[in-house]
Amino acid sequence: MTEEEIIMLNAQVEISKYMFAFVDSMAIKCAVELRIADIIHSYNDQKITLSQIATNIDCSSSSHMNYHFRITRHLVRRKIFTASTSQDGDTLYGLIPISRWLLHDSELSVAPMFLFLTNPILMATWHYFSNCIKEGGIPFKKAHGCEIFEMASKYDELNNNLNNGMNSMTKCIMREVIKEYKDGFNSITSLVDVGGGIGGGIGGAMFEIVKAYPHVKGINFDLPHVVLRAQKFEGVDHVEGDMFEAIPPADAVFLKWVLHDWGDEDCVKILKNCRKAISKKTGKVIIVDTVLKLEGEGLFDDIGFIMDLVMIAHSSGGKERSEDEWNKLLKEAGFLRYNITEISAWLFIIEAYPH
């Protein structure tokens, strides 16, 4: 083969990986739905046979077993699970760190978020990107005739799916917030979590803060249909309302994964209401979100840009922002200074002050 032919062949392989990238997502979704990681974990993390896994998911017919084997084989090849041969010649499947993130009942799990993002309702919106580029509009609304939060308010299954997904991610994120933002809550006696239902895992984010800082009076603030499903947490009051109208007064306002759901104009409205809710002399707004590194080559830098496309697909004009974009947004809302702290490889705390 000529050098040019080799280059084109390698390029064909690479583009084929992108063309079939959805196959990996769907195979992992299958494993999450069948709770394969949980089944292996239930055997005290011992490696088990495909038949043992099948027994726990009522997989009886030979055709079903054939599908099961082929999908599991693919996930082993993708290094989601391990496979080894026993002394009897049986193939044994086991867990590794990546598959532990798929455990449903683990403290740190992405299983609920995986099921949410691969929900057919959400997947449908990705097919409208080119249409929206040509004609304008919001992909989710093009696909379903309404926006995501409106649909969630009408359909319990989607609402639960959304809340469960956000709750799982909240546990992961809040662990980093509590660990890295050590002194940030010390001077606060009252804190309102705006969008604390969906963005905060139905009050879970505020509960984590109150547990770590018992002196803080916590307020979980969200829309009525979200607050209605919030469980009771000691030290947390659930308050219903609309962040575009008014926000309950407090020493500080907490916004986790909220502003990236909205366009600049809506974010300015939210931030102005946050400014009204806090003291002009001592108050602050604590934003937990992504700060895009336009030239970043770190392990997680790509995640921010992936999330930016997720915002196109699922939000009402939302986006991820660079520091320059955050600076512009905050100044427009009346915040004279800010401070950015990186708390994980892809999440940041932005402290904004009106003074």
Side-chain angles (χ1 to χ4, degrees), residues 31 34-42 45 81 95 99-100 102-103:
L34 297 177
R35 292 177 173 260
I36 291 176
D38 298 271
I39 291 169
I40 298 172
H41 182 62
S42 71
D45 281 344
F81 299 104
L95 301 179
S99 39
R100 294 185 185 282
L102 303 179
L103 293 168

Side-chain angles (χ1 to χ4, degrees), residues 278-298:
I278 62 176
S279 166
K280 291 181 180 179
K281 293 183 178 181
T282 59
K284 64 179 175 178
V285 173
I286 305 163
I287 301 165
V288 179
D289 227 312
T290 297
V291 178
L292 291 178
K293 298 179 181 179
L294 301 182
E295 305 298 328
E297 296 181 0

Side-chain angles (χ1 to χ4, degrees), residues 179-191:
K179 176 184 174 183
E180 300 296 334
Y181 194 53
K182 295 177 181 177
D183 300 322
F185 300 109
N186 283 338
S187 61
I188 297 170
T189 57
S190 60
L191 180 67

Side-chain angles (χ1 to χ4, degrees), residues 111-301:
M113 181 56 83
F114 209 103
L115 293 178
F116 171 62
L117 291 175
T118 54
N119 184 305
I121 292 174
L122 272 73
M123 293 295 288
T125 64
W126 293 90
H127 297 281
Y128 289 84
F129 273 28
S130 58
N131 183 275
C132 289
I133 288 173
K134 289 190 292 185
E135 300 177 3
I138 298 168
F140 195 96
K141 197 168 185 177
K142 289 267 189 182
H144 303 295
C146 64
E147 297 177 13
I148 187 169
F149 295 126
E150 182 183 351
M151 181 169 256
S153 70
K154 297 176 181 177
Y155 297 97
D156 285 346
E157 184 177 351
L158 178 63
N159 192 50
N160 290 335
N161 204 199
L162 169 60
N163 286 327
N164 289 339
M166 289 306 306
N167 191 39
S168 70
M169 294 306 295
T170 289
K171 291 178 181 178
C172 301
I173 293 170
M174 290 309 299
R175 181 176 180 176
E176 295 299 319
V177 170
I178 299 299
K179 176 184 174 183
E180 300 296 334
Y181 194 53
K182 295 177 181 177
D183 300 322
F185 300 109
N186 283 338
S187 61
I188 297 170
T189 57
S190 60
L191 180 67
V192 56
D193 186 357
V194 175
I198 295 174
I202 327 177
M206 182 55 70
F207 180 56
E208 293 300 320
I209 294 171
V210 169
K211 271 199 307 182
Y213 299 87
H215 69 279
V216 174
K217 176 187 176 183
I219 301 168
N220 171 49
F221 179 71
D222 214 313
L223 295 168
H225 77 272
V226 178
V227 170
L228 184 66
R229 291 167 174 78
Q231 66 184 98
K232 291 184 178 180
F233 293 110
E234 186 177 349
V236 178
D237 293 329
H238 297 298
V239 178
E240 62 180 54
D242 187 337
M243 62 186 174
F244 288 104
E245 294 179 1
I247 291 169
D251 291 340
V253 171
F254 188 70
L255 293 158
K256 182 187 71 63
W257 262 12
V258 172
L259 296 181
H260 76 164
D261 285 328
W262 304 95
D264 291 348
E265 186 177 336
D266 284 328
C267 283
V268 169
K269 290 178 184 177
I270 296 167
L271 286 168
K272 283 183 175 179
N273 283 337
C274 291
R275 186 162 54 86
K276 292 176 184 176
I278 62 176
S279 166
K280 291 181 180 179
K281 293 183 178 181
T282 59
K284 64 179 175 178
V285 173
I286 305 163
I287 301 165
V288 179
D289 227 312
T290 297
V291 178
L292 291 178
K293 298 179 181 179
L294 301 182
E295 305 298 328
E297 296 181 0
L299 187 62
F300 279 87
D301 286 335

Side-chain angles (χ1 to χ4, degrees), residues 326-341:
W326 280 114
N327 180 33
K328 182 176 181 295
L329 203 66
L330 292 168
K331 282 185 176 178
E332 199 171 334
F335 290 90
L336 304 180
R337 61 187 180 95
Y338 67 89
N339 180 54
I340 295 179
T341 304

